[in-house]
Each structure stands twice: as C-alpha cells, then as structure tokens.
Amino acid sequence: RQLTAAARQISRGNFDVGDVTVRSRDELRFLAETFNGMCANIRRLVREIKQKSELDALVKKMELKSLQNQINPHFLFNTLNMVSKMAYVEGAEKTSDLVGSISALLRYNLKKLHRDVVLREEIAIVREYFFIQKMRFGSRIAFSERIDESCLETIVPSLTIQPLVENAFAHGIESYERGAELTLAVYGRDGKIIVEIRDNGVGMDEEEVRALLDRRGDPAEFEPSAGEAGGIGLRNVLRRLELYYQCEDVMEIETERGKGTTVRLKLPVAGERGLAAYA
C-alpha cells in the first residue's frame, strides 16, 4: 500500500515523497529500496534542471546586456555613408565605392535569416563582396560571372549565395599569391535554377566532401563556427535549403585535391517551395 501511494504521488508530479520503509527481508524490500533510489535520482535530476535553467537565464541576461552595449548598427551605417560621401567630395572615388560596398554588405548580413529574397538581391550582394576582395587583393585574384538574368526573380532564403562564395575564397584560393580564380554562374536546367560557385583552389578529398554533406550528424554541427564565411558555413546553408525546399537534392560538390572545387545549388523555381513553413 505504501508503494502504491508513493507511485501515485510520483505520477502526479510530486517528487518529494518520502522513502518507503519495508522491514521484511523479501522481494518487497528489494522493490522498495529500488523505488526509493529511483525517487532520489528523479529529485536530483529535477534539481539539476532547475539550476541549469537559472544559469541559462543569467547567461541570456548577460548576452542581452552585451548586445545593448554594442554599437548601434544604424549609427555604423550612417557613419560609413558619411565617410563614403566625404571621400567622393574629396575626389577619392575608389575609397567612396569601397566604403559603400562595405556598408551594403554589413546591412545585408544583419538581416534576419528567415527573410526570403529574390536571387537578384543575393547576386547583387555577392558583387559587392567581389568588389571588396578585388580592392584588397588586386591582381592576385580574378572574379568572373556568367548570369542568366531570366533566372534572377526566383525566391530564395536570405544569405544563401554569399556564404558559399566566401567559403570558396577563404578555404580555396585566399592563400594563392597569383592566378586565383573564382567564378559565379546562374542558369536554368531541367526545370531548376542552378547556381555554381567554382574556384581553382586547393580542393578537397572524398572524405571531406562526405563529411560536409553527411546528414546524420548532430544538428548542432550545422551551427556557424568561428572563421567560417561571415559566421555561416556550407553545412549551415545546406541544412537551411533542405528545410526551405523540403528536399535533400539541393547541393552537390565536385572537387579534386589541388584542382579546385565547384559547389552547385539546384533550386526549384519560384512557386515550387516545400509546403512546410520555413523559419
């Protein structure tokens, strides 16, 4: 009867029931001791969960305070625009263009990831990125593009193309002293919009490609890691596209060690987005 009463209390969420005492030396005593041990473990787990919840709340409060202390993005944009106009007035047109590109890139990257855009916007911001890197590295790197304008009204998730271009640059060709090439192509094929980012960089082996495309890993592995393309890595983009279009066949990688890499996105045309809401 004691065990039954205690079990009822546990099932109702009351984990503070006292130990069940059985004086006999039979199976009931073993059952009671096991039950008491289970209750103690539950109480310990509940206590740890509460402590972790309190700690998480404190950390979030600290993070919010840190964000509040950061520079206001609008102030930063306005300052960059002012610097750009001053440079233009003073005759430093290249400096004016460079600051304008940096401002546009920052503004675009601070938008919410769940915002949908047309592919034309993604390509426009990639061109700003190309311009910045060309000003930085000069003749060390050549950028080129092959764009079918009729494909650019397709709806895509924000920050889909630039992270892949940045990854190709950072991990493929940034170390080259000369002869680095990066190409962006957009065209239609088999009812889909194809976006290709091709570089002539260091390339990857098959094991690295499998690791990038492996869907069996912990979802946390899709989170951005330090140093990856503006905080958004290739696997992150892949996972967002799979959720957005509700299909897995959205990305393929062709690569060979020492001969470069091509990342190819295969995007359904506008209106063929998956039924599940993307958020």
Side-chain angles (χ1 to χ4, degrees):
R1 285 197 299 269
Q2 289 182 62
L3 279 170
T4 301
R8 285 200 182 99
Q9 291 298 315
I10 291 289
S11 68
R12 292 168 183 167
N14 178 17
F15 304 119
D16 295 323
V17 295
D19 287 349
V20 177
T21 302
V22 176
R23 301 187 184 281
S24 62
R25 297 181 177 276
D26 54 16
E27 296 87 349
L28 280 178
R29 181 171 182 175
F30 173 78
L31 181 60
E33 289 174 348
T34 303
F35 182 87
N36 292 337
M38 180 194 70
C39 292
N41 286 334
I42 290 175
R43 287 192 292 269
R44 176 179 56 80
L45 289 171
V46 169
R47 186 167 58 250
E48 290 176 357
I49 290 171
K50 288 181 178 179
Q51 291 172 346
K52 186 177 184 303
S53 177
E54 183 180 1
L55 178 60
D56 288 344
L58 290 173
V59 170
K60 289 184 183 300
K61 187 176 180 179
M62 291 175 61
E63 289 176 343
L64 178 60
K65 188 66 176 177
S66 176
L67 287 171
Q68 290 172 339
N69 291 333
Q70 289 179 10
I71 188 169
N72 187 316
H74 295 291
F75 172 77
L76 177 59
F77 298 143
N78 292 336
T79 303
L80 285 172
N81 288 332
M82 180 182 66
V83 172
S84 176
K85 288 181 175 61
M86 289 177 62
Y88 183 81
V89 170
E90 294 171 358
E93 294 185 7
K94 285 187 177 180
T95 302
S96 175
D97 292 341
L98 178 60
V99 174
S101 292
I102 295 171
S103 178
L105 203 64
L106 286 173
R107 186 184 299 275
Y108 194 86
N109 285 349
L110 284 174
K111 292 179 180 178
K112 293 181 179 180
L113 284 179
H114 66 255
R115 177 178 178 268
D116 294 348
V117 298
V118 292
L119 188 54
R120 186 180 304 280
E121 294 180 71
E122 288 284 292
I123 299 304
I125 210 64
V126 167
R127 286 168 176 159
E128 300 285 6
Y129 175 81
F130 281 172
F131 178 76
I132 293 170
Q133 296 294 34
K134 188 65 178 176
M135 292 290 288
R136 178 185 175 192
F137 292 96
S139 60
R140 281 176 51 183
I141 183 168
F143 295 106
S144 61
E145 61 179 50
R146 180 168 55 87
I147 309 293
D148 183 346
E149 292 288 330
S150 66
C151 298
L152 297 187
E153 297 307 314
T154 300
I155 304 296
V156 296
S158 180
L159 287 175
T160 296
I161 312 301
Q162 184 213 327
L164 302 181
V165 172
E166 194 169 343
N167 268 323
F169 180 84
H171 301 299
I173 59 178
E174 186 175 17
S175 61
Y176 278 30
E177 291 297 327
R178 62 178 183 275
E181 297 177 1
L182 187 56
T183 302
L184 172 66
V186 179
Y187 57 92
R189 186 182 69 188
D190 298 331
K192 294 189 176 182
I193 304 300
I194 308 299
V195 180
E196 286 184 355
I197 298 95
R198 184 190 305 271
D199 67 71
N200 66 338
V202 297
M204 295 179 286
D205 55 37
E206 292 183 4
E207 185 175 344
E208 289 175 299
V209 174
R210 281 197 299 269
L212 283 171
L213 300 180
D214 187 4
R215 299 174 179 84
R216 295 170 299 175
D218 189 330
E221 295 179 5
F222 292 111
E223 291 299 315
S225 61
E228 278 193 306
I232 304 176
L234 183 147
R235 295 192 72 195
N236 180 282
V237 172
L238 170 61
R239 185 56 177 157
R240 287 194 294 125
L241 289 176
E242 288 177 340
L243 292 172
Y244 186 86
Y245 293 112
Q246 291 295 293
C247 64
E248 294 184 351
D249 185 26
V250 292
M251 179 185 292
E252 61 185 24
I253 300 175
E254 293 180 0
T255 184
E256 186 175 348
R257 179 65 69 181
K259 294 187 178 181
T261 301
T262 298
V263 176
R264 185 176 295 109
L265 303 182
K266 299 181 289 184
L267 310 178
V269 297
E272 292 186 6
R273 175 179 165 180
L275 294 177
Y278 171 74

